[in-house]
Amino acid sequence: MSNIRGRFQKAADKAAAAYTASIGYDWRLYTHDIAGSIAHARMLAKQGIITGQEAKTIAAGLAEIGQEIEAGKFQFKPELEDIHMNIEARLIEMVGEVGGKLHTARSRNDQVALDMRLFAKEAITDTLLRIKEFQRALIGLAEANKKVAIPGYTHLQRAQPVLLAHHLLAYFEMLQRDTDRFIDCLERTDVLPLGSGAVAGVAYDTDREFLAQELGFSQISQNSMDAVSDRDFIIEYEAAASICMMHLSRLAEEIILWSSAEFDFIELDDAYSTGSSIMPQKKNPDIAELARGKTGRVYGNLLAMLTTMKGLPLSYNRDLQEDKEDFFDCVDTLLASLEVFTGMIATLRVKAENTEKAAGEGYILATDLADYLVKKGVAFRDAHGIVAKLVSYAIEKGKTFGELKLAEYKKFSGLFGNDIYSVSVASSLAARNSPGGTSPKQVAAALARAKKTLNL
Ligand code: ARG
């Protein structure tokens, strides 16, 4: 029986104990918990609160416990509730009474806040790396298809031709903003809560700056009540993760569309496709679909945590234990999604012949015809009207722009000349040379910028 039940006459009800236990998932915090405890013991010794020898004994015991857990030899006990009590009980079992001194000048409230911040900092670092890998794959695909045109869509209707690289680099930009959000989130996560005690601070001469240094935090928290009950940093991660997943989900939707027979723009590598149990011909984009689906789960993680927090009076409340499963799930889901997307993007094959064909089909160059008239002095609104009539005429005649005779063009404006036939996908792309536009020149510059951003 753990000493947290010291004042009670009875053991906890079985169902109640299972209900309150978090060891089933918070065991994942063991490295953070041990690192925090070793730093804490060292601080206690430095401040003369325990002896140097006691700190050494405690640190050695904790290191051994870490190895036991690593080796799968540690026996997690649900009756000890959580990772903190499991480790402490084993420490006392291992090194004796001196192990009981570790919890001087701290509480599980600042301890768990510390563990979660250490975990979150690692998660952010991992996330930033995965985003970068994914961006690198986007750049790779863009470079390999530098000259390939595809239709640019609005309302999912073909609008104007764009370079595929331009389309892909749009996602690079989104992911770069995600990167900025996670970096920003890291700044506020990087604050040491340890030393706040249960709620009011501690009655010992501790050195929190020393702890911050030992544990790699750039700041210490300024208010003990805030420190033990704040989970903003988790909400921020989950919010940034939700936005990032939303970006992946948009790309997922395009992958799904593009790999359909209706679009037929890409083929996914076999390693990133799934088959059907009944239809032998099927090659399904399940990874993209799952990422789209998991985006809903990640939004759920964020909403769950916001809801958990909204009614909590200061300071620590046990509700906060509910931060973990959702947060772990959110981190795992985002990291896995980024990883599979990286592979999927790096290996997919672009069917350039189909994207190019689609990019030139229909009346997708209508804006270019209007721009042609504008260059000859027509006001854009009038040019738009003239080309609109020309389009409806061409549809009626069942002809493409290229198939219309000059005489037919002239019916709509005398300004049309033979050079109208030089309007093409290539000329359309080259013309869109405004900063951030799709001209080959702009896209080459954007690719160079993207590579520089990633230090490639
Ligand atoms: N398992 C708890 C949690 O995750 C640790 C803190 C417990 N503190 C307490 N006062 N019961 O929040």
Side-chain angles (χ1 to χ4, degrees):
M1 180 58 51
S2 77
N3 55 16
I4 44 172
R5 294 194 62 80
R7 62 162 290 197
F8 304 126
Q9 316 292 324
K10 288 183 185 174
D13 171 75
K14 242 183 153 179
Y19 192 73
T20 50
S22 53
I23 190 63
Y25 45 88
D26 69 10
W27 65 267
R28 281 180 68 165
L29 297 171
Y30 75 92
T31 50
H32 316 90
D33 201 70
I34 288 172
S37 289
I38 290 176
H40 185 66
R42 295 194 52 193
M43 185 277 292
L44 291 177
K46 185 181 94 60
Q47 296 301 98
I49 300 168
I50 62 174
T51 68
Q53 191 46 53
E54 285 171 335
K56 275 197 188 124
T57 306
I58 289 172
L62 288 167
E64 206 177 318
I65 291 172
Q67 285 162 12
E68 282 182 358
I69 298 176
E70 214 67 64
K73 288 186 195 141
F74 189 91
Q75 232 205 317
F76 291 108
K77 296 184 182 145
E79 63 275 20
L80 291 175
E81 282 191 6
D82 53 29
I83 186 65
H84 326 295
M85 297 307 300
N86 267 274
I87 290 177
E88 191 186 305
R90 176 76 184 114
L91 180 68
I92 293 169
E93 187 180 281
M94 221 178 213
V95 305
E97 214 175 295
V98 59
K101 294 197 175 186
L102 172 62
H103 214 50
T104 315
R106 88 172 174 183
S107 142
R108 273 192 296 162
N109 297 350
D110 55 350
Q111 189 179 355
V112 74
L114 169 71
D115 292 3
M116 289 303 277
R117 281 180 184 269
L118 286 170
F119 181 92
K121 281 178 66 176
E122 268 178 30
I124 295 169
T125 308
D126 292 347
T127 305
L128 288 168
L129 277 173
R130 288 274 166 94
I131 290 179
K132 196 170 165 182
E133 287 302 308
F134 176 54
Q135 285 178 306
R136 192 205 292 255
L138 285 171
I139 290 176
L141 187 64
E143 278 209 306
N145 296 277
K146 223 179 193 156
K147 297 197 172 123
V148 174
I150 64 163
Y153 294 85
T154 63
H155 314 270
L156 203 59
Q157 305 288 320
R158 289 175 189 170
Q160 293 171 341
V162 293
L163 286 175
L164 173 62
H166 192 54
H167 192 123
L168 294 170
L169 287 175
Y171 286 99
F172 178 90
E173 296 292 331
M174 295 177 223
L175 270 294
Q176 196 52 36
R177 291 194 296 277
D178 291 328
T179 293
D180 292 345
R181 268 183 282 274
F182 282 110
I183 290 173
D184 200 47
C185 165
L186 182 58
E187 198 184 309
R188 277 175 295 279
T189 305
D190 192 16
V191 179
L192 175 96
L194 193 61
S196 300
V199 51
V202 296
Y204 299 86
D205 177 26
T206 54
D207 185 345
R208 298 189 62 211
E209 294 292 350
F210 172 82
L211 282 173
Q213 220 164 25
E214 287 282 293
L215 292 166
F217 283 93
S218 63
Q219 292 176 59
I220 64 168
S221 58
Q222 299 299 315
N223 180 298
S224 61
M225 299 183 79
D226 177 41
V228 296
S229 63
D230 160 43
R231 296 293 183 272
D232 299 5
F233 63 101
I234 292 176
I235 295 177
E236 276 195 56
Y237 182 96
E238 290 173 344
S242 293
I243 298 175
C244 187
M245 283 299 291
M246 177 271 290
H247 290 148
L248 292 185
S249 188
R250 293 184 72 183
L251 181 57
E253 176 68 15
E254 301 205 296
I255 302 264
I256 293 160
L257 288 171
W258 289 356
S259 55
S260 71
E262 281 67 19
F263 277 78
D264 204 18
F265 285 179
I266 57 168
E267 181 174 7
L268 293 177
D269 191 80
D270 284 359
Y272 293 92
S273 307
T274 39
S276 158
S277 57
I278 167 166
M279 298 161 283
Q281 87 284 8
K282 291 291 291 289
K283 184 167 182 182
N284 294 330
D286 286 29
I287 286 173
E289 292 170 88
L290 278 166
R292 194 176 55 183
K294 284 172 191 288
T295 301
R297 246 191 43 221
V298 170
Y299 292 179
N301 298 146
L302 169 64
L303 258 291
M305 197 56 203
L306 281 169
T307 311
T308 296
M309 294 297 293
K310 75 181 270 291
L312 292 190
L314 293 184
S315 61
Y316 179 85
N317 297 272
R318 192 63 177 269
D319 314 43
L320 290 173
Q321 182 167 291
E322 289 296 309
D323 61 354
K324 291 173 196 62
E325 280 174 292
D326 274 313
F327 185 45
F328 295 161
D329 183 54
C330 177
V331 173
D332 292 345
T333 305
L334 180 60
L335 291 179
S337 301
L338 285 165
E339 186 181 6
V340 290
F341 260 61
T342 302
M344 182 171 65
I345 290 293
T347 55
L348 67 76
R349 185 172 73 82
V350 175
K351 296 184 172 176
E353 59 298 353
N354 294 349
T355 66
E356 298 260 341
K357 186 165 169 276
E361 261 174 11
Y363 303 97
I364 199 166
L365 297 175
T367 318
D368 296 275
L369 295 197
D371 290 340
Y372 170 97
L373 290 174
V374 168
K375 284 201 184 105
K376 302 213 165 182
V378 182
F380 183 78
R381 269 290 149 249
D382 297 334
H384 182 280
I386 292 166
V387 177
K389 287 195 188 99
L390 181 72
V391 168
S392 84
Y393 171 85
I395 291 172
E396 202 185 298
K397 297 280 169 195
K399 290 183 174 181
T400 65
F401 284 145
E403 289 162 357
L404 290 175
K405 300 255 153 43
L406 187 57
E408 293 177 290
Y409 275 105
K410 292 234 185 248
K411 281 190 203 168
F412 297 88
S413 168
L415 293 167
F416 281 119
N418 245 326
D419 53 349
I420 193 64
Y421 296 105
S422 62
V423 171
S424 65
V425 170
S427 77
S428 172
L429 291 170
R432 305 245 146 32
N433 196 34
S434 53
T438 194
S439 74
K441 210 170 137 192
Q442 291 294 333
V443 172
L447 262 172
R449 270 198 313 274
K451 289 206 294 204
K452 203 168 157 216
T453 303
L454 299 193
N455 292 317
L456 293 180

Coordinates of all heavy atoms in Angstrom, one line a residue, residues 22 26 81-82 84 108-109 112 231 316 318 320-321 323-324, ligand 1:
S22 N -3.5 6.1 -13.6 CA -3.1 6.6 -14.9 C -1.9 5.8 -15.4 O -1.4 6.1 -16.5 CB -2.8 8.1 -14.8 OG -1.9 8.4 -13.8
D26 N 0.5 6.8 -18.3 CA 1.6 7.8 -18.0 C 2.9 7.2 -17.7 O 3.9 7.9 -17.5 CB 1.2 8.8 -16.9 CG 1.0 8.1 -15.5 OD1 1.5 7.0 -15.3 OD2 0.5 8.8 -14.6
E81 N -1.2 4.0 -8.6 CA -1.8 5.1 -9.4 C -1.0 5.5 -10.6 O -1.5 5.4 -11.7 CB -2.0 6.4 -8.5 CG -3.2 6.3 -7.6 CD -3.5 7.7 -7.0 OE1 -2.9 8.7 -7.4 OE2 -4.4 7.7 -6.2
D82 N 0.1 6.1 -10.4 CA 0.8 6.7 -11.6 C 2.3 6.4 -11.6 O 2.8 5.8 -10.8 CB 0.5 8.2 -11.6 CG 0.9 8.9 -10.3 OD1 1.8 8.4 -9.6 OD2 0.2 10.0 -10.0
H84 N 4.7 8.4 -11.1 CA 5.5 9.1 -10.1 C 5.5 8.2 -8.8 O 6.6 7.9 -8.3 CB 4.9 10.4 -9.7 CG 4.3 11.1 -10.8 ND1 5.1 11.6 -11.9 CD2 3.0 11.5 -11.2 CE1 4.2 12.2 -12.8 NE2 3.0 12.1 -12.4
R108 N 3.5 16.0 -6.3 CA 3.2 15.4 -7.6 C 2.6 16.4 -8.6 O 2.7 16.3 -9.8 CB 2.2 14.2 -7.5 CG 2.9 12.9 -7.2 CD 2.0 11.8 -7.3 NE 0.9 11.8 -6.4 CZ -0.3 11.2 -6.5 NH1 -0.5 10.4 -7.5 NH2 -1.2 11.3 -5.6
N109 N 2.1 17.5 -8.0 CA 1.5 18.5 -8.9 C 2.6 19.3 -9.7 O 2.4 19.5 -10.9 CB 0.7 19.5 -8.0 CG -0.5 18.8 -7.4 OD1 -0.8 17.7 -7.7 ND2 -1.2 19.5 -6.5
V112 N 4.3 16.4 -12.0 CA 3.6 16.0 -13.3 C 3.6 17.1 -14.3 O 3.8 16.9 -15.5 CB 2.2 15.5 -13.0 CG1 1.2 16.6 -12.7 CG2 1.7 14.7 -14.2
R231 N -2.1 24.2 -18.4 CA -1.9 23.2 -19.4 C -2.0 23.9 -20.8 O -2.2 23.3 -21.8 CB -2.8 22.0 -19.4 CG -2.7 21.2 -18.1 CD -1.4 20.4 -18.0 NE -1.3 19.5 -16.8 CZ -0.9 19.9 -15.6 NH1 -0.5 21.2 -15.4 NH2 -0.9 19.1 -14.6
Y316 N -4.4 22.9 -9.0 CA -4.5 21.6 -9.5 C -5.8 20.9 -9.2 O -6.3 21.0 -8.1 CB -3.3 20.7 -8.9 CG -3.4 19.3 -9.5 CD1 -2.8 19.0 -10.7 CD2 -4.1 18.3 -8.8 CE1 -2.9 17.7 -11.2 CE2 -4.2 17.0 -9.3 CZ -3.6 16.7 -10.5 OH -3.7 15.4 -11.0
R318 N -7.8 17.0 -10.2 CA -7.4 15.7 -10.8 C -7.9 15.6 -12.3 O -7.4 14.8 -13.0 CB -8.0 14.6 -10.0 CG -7.5 13.2 -10.3 CD -6.0 13.0 -10.1 NE -5.6 11.7 -10.3 CZ -5.5 10.7 -9.4 NH1 -5.8 10.9 -8.2 NH2 -5.1 9.5 -9.8
L320 N -7.0 17.2 -14.5 CA -5.8 17.5 -15.3 C -5.1 16.2 -15.7 O -4.4 16.2 -16.7 CB -4.8 18.4 -14.6 CG -5.3 19.9 -14.4 CD1 -4.4 20.6 -13.5 CD2 -5.5 20.5 -15.8
Q321 N -5.4 15.1 -15.0 CA -4.8 13.9 -15.4 C -5.3 13.5 -16.8 O -4.6 12.7 -17.5 CB -5.2 12.8 -14.4 CG -4.6 11.4 -14.7 CD -4.7 10.5 -13.5 OE1 -4.1 10.7 -12.4 NE2 -5.6 9.5 -13.5
D323 N -5.3 15.1 -19.3 CA -4.5 15.8 -20.4 C -3.7 14.8 -21.2 O -3.3 15.0 -22.4 CB -3.5 16.9 -19.8 CG -2.5 16.3 -18.8 OD1 -2.5 15.1 -18.5 OD2 -1.6 17.1 -18.4
K324 N -3.4 13.6 -20.6 CA -2.3 12.8 -21.1 C -2.7 12.0 -22.3 O -2.0 12.0 -23.4 CB -1.8 11.9 -20.0 CG -1.0 12.6 -19.0 CD -0.6 11.9 -17.8 CE -0.1 12.8 -16.7 NZ -1.3 13.7 -16.3
Ligands
ARG1 N1 -1.4 11.3 -12.0 C1 -1.6 12.7 -11.7 C2 -1.8 13.5 -12.9 O1 -1.6 13.1 -13.9 C3 -0.4 13.2 -11.0 C4 -0.7 14.3 -10.0 C5 -1.5 13.8 -8.9 N2 -1.7 14.8 -7.9 C6 -2.6 14.8 -7.0 N3 -2.7 15.7 -6.2 N4 -3.4 13.7 -6.9 O2 -2.3 14.6 -12.8

